[in-house]
Amino acid sequence: MAILDPSKPIESTMSAEDIQSLIKELEEVYNALLREKTERTEDDMKLIGEIYTLMMRLKKTLKARTTQG
């Protein structure tokens, strides 16, 4: 089961400040997962990839909002 559900964009109802805060938290989790020295399973790699995808989607949304506003 994928973590991301493209049919329900979470950023559509969030303020720019909330998006920035979420990006920061996701970056911290992403970096922590990358620093782990244990072996990663396929599920771990999928999670890391989905966190990255979500961060990039949120950054793109935030950028679009700031250029529109």
Side-chain angles (χ1 to χ4, degrees):
M1 182 169 126
I3 293 172
L4 303 180
D5 182 357
S7 68
K8 298 177 184 177
I10 62 166
E11 66 274 15
S12 62
T13 58
M14 296 175 71
S15 70
E17 294 80 20
D18 288 340
I19 292 173
Q20 287 174 325
S21 177
L22 181 56
I23 290 170
K24 183 177 179 177
E25 290 180 36
L26 287 169
E27 286 175 337
E28 290 173 8
V29 170
Y30 178 79
N31 289 326
L33 289 171
L34 290 179
R35 281 192 302 268
E36 286 184 1
K37 297 190 190 269
T38 60
E39 288 188 30
R40 293 183 185 103
T41 65
E42 185 177 336
D43 287 340
D44 294 336
M45 295 305 293
K46 286 179 183 178
L47 175 62
I48 289 169
E50 289 192 21
I51 290 172
Y52 179 82
T53 300
L54 179 56
M55 286 188 310
M56 293 304 109
R57 188 173 88 194
L58 290 170
K59 286 180 180 185
K60 184 177 178 181
T61 299
L62 190 58
K63 184 177 180 178
R65 282 192 188 177
T66 56
T67 56
Q68 290 174 353

